[in-house]
Amino acid sequence: MEIQELEQQFWRAFPGAKEPEICRSPGRVNLIGEHTDYNGLPVLPMAIRQEILVAFRPREDRQVDLRNCDPSFPIKTFENGPDLPPSPPGEWDNYCKAAIQGLNTHFKVRAFRGMDILVTSTLPIAAGLSSSSSLVVACALAYLKVLGLHLEKDISRLELAELMAEAEHYVGTRGGGMDQAVILNCVTNHACKIDFFPLRVEVAPLPEDCAIVVCDSMVKVRKSGAELAKYNAGPRTCALACALVERQLKDEFGPEVEIDRLGDLWFGPLCLTSKEVEEIFSRVAPKPNLTLIDAATRLKCTPQQVRDRWLGDLPEPNGGFHVQARLRHQLTEYRRVETARDALLAGDSELFGQLMNASHESCANDFQISSPDLDALVKAARDAGALGARLTGAGFGGATVNLVPKDICHDFIDEITETYYRRHKGYNGGAPVFVAHANDGANYL
Ligand code: GLA
């Protein structure tokens, strides 16, 4: 939607309001490094042109009046204040509340301001392209302005990204900080190599000879209900794995050794090499599975305490939790991301593609976040000539990301339209596929 059209719609929604301010916040596609961010291990995404645009005005009272140009999103209103009770899970105003609450806490806001806010989006929803974090960041930029604060002066892009990653936990997802970091810090034509705790962003140029093609599997992934539980299984199992690793380190090196997350093995004071980490992992998880009872014995606590501290209500799979494979994914994905960044800097598309392919295999087999549809779409893409093809984002549905030589891009899209969308899905409409262009981070217009 054009800016002018958005302004018109804003005046129609909020008659009599003064001219609105506008901000934009892109979606993202992750090229490699999946389910590693919440463990403090790096990722390599890029922001895309599809984005959320928000028109907003401060109000004199504390009311937030949140509307969407898409009528399937109901009008939401709430009072801003010291403690914002969340709406039921899945309601879209929770993303706005998350942003406001995060900023209120950070800036110790007492003069709570309301705002009129109208959202429009070119980002497909629930397609694994981070429409939710993009909305959180857009609302954060709007509310910052309403508070009279300035991005980069009162809070840096990195600080805001860290703050919003934490703030988004309000909606119930235990996500890491990848989405907010790339949405706020990306640069045109570049991918971002992102490290965490503390957040660091380094840009790397995208290959010139290849296009990044995003294909929607047409299986929606929402960050609520059963899908939220599936996503949270990753962070929860990794939290348990981290506790087991810490136990092992204490036994081997002394009780003073502590780690908060798996990434601390490499980046904390321990500063281990990947080879050393691999050896520790093999001692922590010599067998594929670990039952709840075994974990409790190892951690010297009761099964209930293991649930309270790390697993929550995550159901125990038959035979136990797959700790060995989950750890293997973390280690191998870490190595792939580091090599992928080097491959980008060296302009080596072939190598980058191979790493993407290996990442998909690891996501599917070791982290178990793929699905028959995603696997079929990845296979169709490789058969159609992609140098690399993998699921992207949380998994279980959503999109795949593909590295495709520019000279075969048209044929590639025709071929997967036939093999995946027509034959596999029985879908005869226009294939939900696009060439992604790396975009700048969120800002005001
Ligand atoms: C979601 C989360 C991210 C990240 C990815 C998986 O998009 O929001 O923080 O964990 O899943 O890589």
Side-chain angles (χ1 to χ4, degrees):
M1 181 184 292
E2 298 288 323
I3 304 297
Q4 269 186 337
E5 165 74 14
L6 178 62
E7 283 175 348
Q8 297 298 334
Q9 295 227 19
F10 185 86
W11 277 313
R12 242 171 276 146
F14 304 107
K18 283 191 255 151
E19 198 173 320
E21 312 244 20
I22 312 258
C23 59
R24 56 165 283 278
S25 176
R28 66 99 185 91
V29 61
N30 189 18
L31 302 177
I32 193 161
E34 223 60 86
H35 282 257
T36 49
D37 57 352
Y38 49 75
N39 291 319
L41 290 169
V43 293
L44 193 66
M46 65 187 228
I48 57 178
R49 277 191 198 156
Q50 286 79 350
E51 63 188 9
I52 286 179
L53 282 176
V54 153
F56 62 98
R57 288 288 312 165
R59 290 171 58 109
E60 295 308 320
D61 57 12
R62 288 179 164 199
Q63 176 147 304
V64 177
D65 189 330
L66 175 67
R67 303 187 185 203
N68 200 308
C69 294
D70 176 347
S72 63
F73 291 85
I75 296 176
K76 295 282 180 179
T77 54
F78 57 91
E79 280 284 302
N80 191 3
D83 197 17
L84 296 176
S87 301
E91 299 284 340
W92 76 290
D93 55 333
N94 280 336
Y95 296 102
C96 183
K97 287 181 174 175
I100 292 178
Q101 175 122 311
L103 289 169
N104 281 343
T105 310
H106 179 81
F107 287 105
K108 302 187 173 60
V109 173
R110 290 289 161 270
F112 301 100
R113 300 288 307 268
M115 58 181 174
D116 291 329
I117 166 162
L118 179 67
V119 177
T120 186
S121 173
T122 51
L123 254 178
I125 307 292
L129 302 174
S130 212
S131 53
S132 40
S133 300
S134 175
L135 180 58
V136 171
V137 170
C139 291
L141 290 193
Y143 187 54
L144 258 186
K145 229 358 172 348
V146 165
L147 290 173
L149 297 167
H150 295 94
L151 181 61
E152 275 158 304
K153 185 167 146 262
D154 296 300
I155 186 164
S156 72
R157 283 176 178 271
L158 288 178
E159 280 171 322
L160 185 61
E162 273 185 320
L163 182 64
M164 286 304 115
E166 192 61 39
E168 206 179 310
H169 289 184
Y170 178 94
V171 300
T173 335
R174 301 163 69 93
M178 161 169 70
D179 304 345
Q180 302 79 2
V182 67
I183 286 169
L184 276 156
N185 293 283
C186 199
V187 173
T188 306
N189 294 332
H190 289 74
C192 289
K193 155 87 172 357
I194 304 172
D195 286 274
F196 302 92
F197 307 105
L199 187 61
R200 281 105 69 207
V201 176
E202 158 198 351
V203 295
L206 287 163
E208 282 174 11
D209 53 345
C210 286
I212 305 292
V213 183
V214 174
C215 303
D216 187 342
S217 70
M218 300 179 67
V219 179
K220 298 270 177 228
V221 270
R222 296 186 193 281
K223 278 194 186 161
S224 58
E227 277 126 342
L228 178 61
K230 277 190 194 169
Y231 175 82
N232 282 344
R236 290 202 156 122
T237 314
C238 287
L240 174 67
C242 181
L244 292 161
V245 170
E246 188 184 61
R247 180 72 262 153
Q248 183 75 25
L249 292 172
K250 285 182 186 297
D251 290 351
E252 289 183 20
F253 303 113
E256 67 285 357
V257 183
E258 285 180 2
I259 54 167
D260 292 330
R261 53 191 75 84
L262 291 169
D264 289 351
L265 294 170
W266 287 266
F267 301 110
L270 288 168
C271 220
L272 302 179
T273 63
S274 291
K275 186 85 198 106
E276 288 165 329
V277 172
E278 187 174 3
E279 283 159 12
I280 289 167
F281 283 1
S282 69
R283 295 200 289 281
V284 170
K287 290 188 291 182
N289 299 338
L290 188 79
T291 63
L292 180 62
I293 308 275
D294 287 347
T297 311
R298 185 79 193 93
L299 294 164
K300 301 187 173 60
C301 61
T302 65
Q304 189 53 47
Q305 285 168 329
V306 174
R307 289 222 164 273
D308 294 345
R309 290 183 199 160
W310 300 290
L311 290 177
D313 55 3
L314 184 67
E316 181 170 352
N318 254 342
F321 296 96
H322 309 303
V323 174
Q324 188 186 69
R326 300 299 186 268
L327 283 173
R328 187 165 52 232
H329 173 75
Q330 294 301 317
L331 173 69
T332 58
E333 192 75 344
Y334 164 71
R335 284 177 160 151
R336 282 186 289 271
V337 172
E338 294 292 333
T339 315
R341 184 264 323 267
D342 295 344
L344 283 188
L345 293 175
D348 190 341
S349 310
E350 294 268 344
L351 175 58
F352 196 82
Q354 287 161 14
L355 293 162
M356 289 172 75
N357 288 337
S359 170
H360 182 80
E361 272 27 279
S362 182
C363 286
N365 302 324
D366 282 349
F367 220 69
Q368 295 187 319
I369 54 166
S370 192
S371 69
D373 277 329
L374 287 170
D375 289 342
L377 186 49
V378 161
K379 179 172 183 316
R382 291 183 192 158
D383 290 348
L387 295 180
R390 60 182 294 277
L391 64 83
T392 181
F396 310 108
T400 63
V401 59
N402 306 279
L403 187 71
V404 182
K406 279 187 176 152
D407 52 354
I408 64 156
C409 214
H410 279 295
D411 294 344
F412 170 85
I413 292 175
D414 287 350
E415 201 171 320
I416 55 161
T417 300
E418 183 55 34
T419 48
Y420 182 77
Y421 295 101
R422 306 254 187 284
R423 272 193 256 145
H424 181 84
K425 295 296 282 184
Y427 176 71
N428 290 315
V433 169
F434 64 88
V435 174
H437 297 277
N439 202 347
D440 282 334
N443 54 20
Y444 300 96
L445 298 183

